[in-house]
Short mmCIF file of all heavy atoms in Angstrom, two decimals:
data_model
loop_
_atom_site.label_atom_id
_atom_site.label_comp_id
_atom_site.label_asym_id
_atom_site.label_seq_id
_atom_site.Cartn_x
_atom_site.Cartn_y
_atom_site.Cartn_z
N PRO K 397 37.32 -40.34 -23.24
CA PRO K 397 37.94 -40.69 -21.97
C PRO K 397 37.24 -41.88 -21.30
O PRO K 397 36.03 -42.05 -21.46
CB PRO K 397 37.78 -39.43 -21.12
CG PRO K 397 37.10 -38.41 -21.94
CD PRO K 397 36.75 -38.99 -23.26
N LYS K 398 38.02 -42.68 -20.60
CA LYS K 398 37.48 -43.91 -20.03
C LYS K 398 36.91 -43.73 -18.63
O LYS K 398 36.78 -44.69 -17.89
CB LYS K 398 38.56 -45.01 -20.05
CG LYS K 398 38.82 -45.54 -21.46
CD LYS K 398 37.58 -46.17 -22.07
CE LYS K 398 37.64 -46.29 -23.58
NZ LYS K 398 37.18 -45.04 -24.27
N THR K 399 36.58 -42.48 -18.27
CA THR K 399 35.85 -42.32 -17.01
C THR K 399 34.45 -42.88 -17.21
O THR K 399 33.86 -42.73 -18.27
CB THR K 399 35.74 -40.83 -16.64
OG1 THR K 399 35.53 -40.07 -17.83
CG2 THR K 399 36.98 -40.34 -15.94
N SER K 400 33.94 -43.52 -16.17
CA SER K 400 32.63 -44.16 -16.33
C SER K 400 31.54 -43.10 -16.38
O SER K 400 31.65 -42.04 -15.77
CB SER K 400 32.39 -45.14 -15.19
OG SER K 400 32.44 -44.47 -13.96
N ILE K 401 30.50 -43.39 -17.13
CA ILE K 401 29.37 -42.46 -17.22
C ILE K 401 28.24 -42.84 -16.26
O ILE K 401 27.27 -42.13 -16.14
CB ILE K 401 28.81 -42.36 -18.66
CG1 ILE K 401 28.43 -43.76 -19.19
CG2 ILE K 401 29.83 -41.72 -19.59
CD1 ILE K 401 27.62 -43.70 -20.47
N LEU K 402 28.42 -43.96 -15.59
CA LEU K 402 27.47 -44.36 -14.54
C LEU K 402 28.08 -45.49 -13.76
O LEU K 402 29.00 -46.17 -14.23
CB LEU K 402 26.13 -44.79 -15.14
CG LEU K 402 26.11 -46.03 -16.05
CD1 LEU K 402 25.94 -47.33 -15.24
CD2 LEU K 402 24.99 -45.92 -17.05
N GLY K 403 27.58 -45.70 -12.56
CA GLY K 403 28.04 -46.81 -11.74
C GLY K 403 26.96 -47.20 -10.77
O GLY K 403 26.11 -46.37 -10.41
N GLY K 404 26.99 -48.45 -10.36
CA GLY K 404 25.98 -48.85 -9.41
C GLY K 404 26.21 -50.25 -8.92
O GLY K 404 27.22 -50.87 -9.24
N GLY K 405 25.24 -50.75 -8.16
CA GLY K 405 25.35 -52.10 -7.65
C GLY K 405 24.44 -52.32 -6.48
O GLY K 405 23.60 -51.48 -6.16
N ARG K 406 24.63 -53.47 -5.87
CA ARG K 406 23.83 -53.82 -4.70
C ARG K 406 24.57 -53.42 -3.45
O ARG K 406 25.78 -53.60 -3.34
CB ARG K 406 23.55 -55.33 -4.72
CG ARG K 406 22.78 -55.83 -3.50
CD ARG K 406 22.20 -57.22 -3.69
NE ARG K 406 21.08 -57.21 -4.62
CZ ARG K 406 19.83 -56.82 -4.29
NH1 ARG K 406 19.56 -56.40 -3.05
NH2 ARG K 406 18.87 -56.86 -5.18
N TYR K 407 23.83 -52.85 -2.52
CA TYR K 407 24.43 -52.45 -1.24
C TYR K 407 23.42 -52.70 -0.14
O TYR K 407 22.60 -51.87 0.18
CB TYR K 407 24.91 -50.99 -1.28
CG TYR K 407 23.86 -49.97 -1.63
CD1 TYR K 407 23.40 -49.06 -0.68
CD2 TYR K 407 23.32 -49.90 -2.91
CE1 TYR K 407 22.44 -48.12 -0.99
CE2 TYR K 407 22.35 -48.97 -3.23
CZ TYR K 407 21.91 -48.10 -2.27
OH TYR K 407 20.93 -47.18 -2.58
N ASP K 408 23.51 -53.87 0.45
CA ASP K 408 22.47 -54.33 1.37
C ASP K 408 22.69 -53.89 2.81
O ASP K 408 21.83 -54.12 3.66
CB ASP K 408 22.38 -55.87 1.31
CG ASP K 408 21.70 -56.35 0.02
OD1 ASP K 408 21.03 -55.51 -0.64
OD2 ASP K 408 21.82 -57.54 -0.32
N ASP K 409 23.82 -53.25 3.10
CA ASP K 409 24.12 -52.94 4.50
C ASP K 409 24.03 -51.46 4.85
O ASP K 409 24.31 -51.06 5.97
CB ASP K 409 25.55 -53.41 4.84
CG ASP K 409 25.67 -54.92 4.73
OD1 ASP K 409 24.64 -55.60 4.91
OD2 ASP K 409 26.78 -55.41 4.43
N LEU K 410 23.66 -50.60 3.87
CA LEU K 410 23.77 -49.17 4.11
C LEU K 410 22.44 -48.49 4.40
O LEU K 410 22.31 -47.70 5.35
CB LEU K 410 24.42 -48.51 2.89
CG LEU K 410 24.72 -47.04 3.04
CD1 LEU K 410 25.87 -46.82 4.01
CD2 LEU K 410 25.04 -46.41 1.70
N ILE K 411 21.43 -48.80 3.59
CA ILE K 411 20.18 -48.03 3.67
C ILE K 411 19.50 -48.17 5.03
O ILE K 411 18.83 -47.26 5.50
CB ILE K 411 19.23 -48.46 2.52
CG1 ILE K 411 19.76 -47.91 1.19
CG2 ILE K 411 17.80 -47.97 2.73
CD1 ILE K 411 19.84 -46.39 1.12
N GLY K 412 19.71 -49.31 5.67
CA GLY K 412 19.08 -49.52 6.97
C GLY K 412 19.79 -48.86 8.13
O GLY K 412 19.34 -48.98 9.27
N MET K 413 20.87 -48.13 7.87
CA MET K 413 21.71 -47.70 9.00
C MET K 413 20.98 -46.78 9.98
O MET K 413 21.25 -46.80 11.16
CB MET K 413 23.02 -47.08 8.53
CG MET K 413 22.90 -45.76 7.82
SD MET K 413 24.55 -45.14 7.38
CE MET K 413 24.15 -43.77 6.31
N PHE K 414 20.03 -45.96 9.49
CA PHE K 414 19.29 -45.09 10.42
C PHE K 414 18.00 -45.76 10.89
O PHE K 414 17.44 -45.40 11.90
CB PHE K 414 18.97 -43.75 9.77
CG PHE K 414 20.20 -42.98 9.36
CD1 PHE K 414 20.44 -42.65 8.03
CD2 PHE K 414 21.12 -42.56 10.33
CE1 PHE K 414 21.57 -41.94 7.66
CE2 PHE K 414 22.25 -41.85 9.96
CZ PHE K 414 22.48 -41.55 8.62
#
Side-chain angles (χ1 to χ4, degrees):
Chain K
K398 287 299 161 274
T399 37
S400 59
I401 55 168
L402 64 87
R406 177 165 288 281
Y407 57 111
D408 286 343
D409 296 333
L410 185 71
I411 288 299
M413 68 178 170
F414 299 118

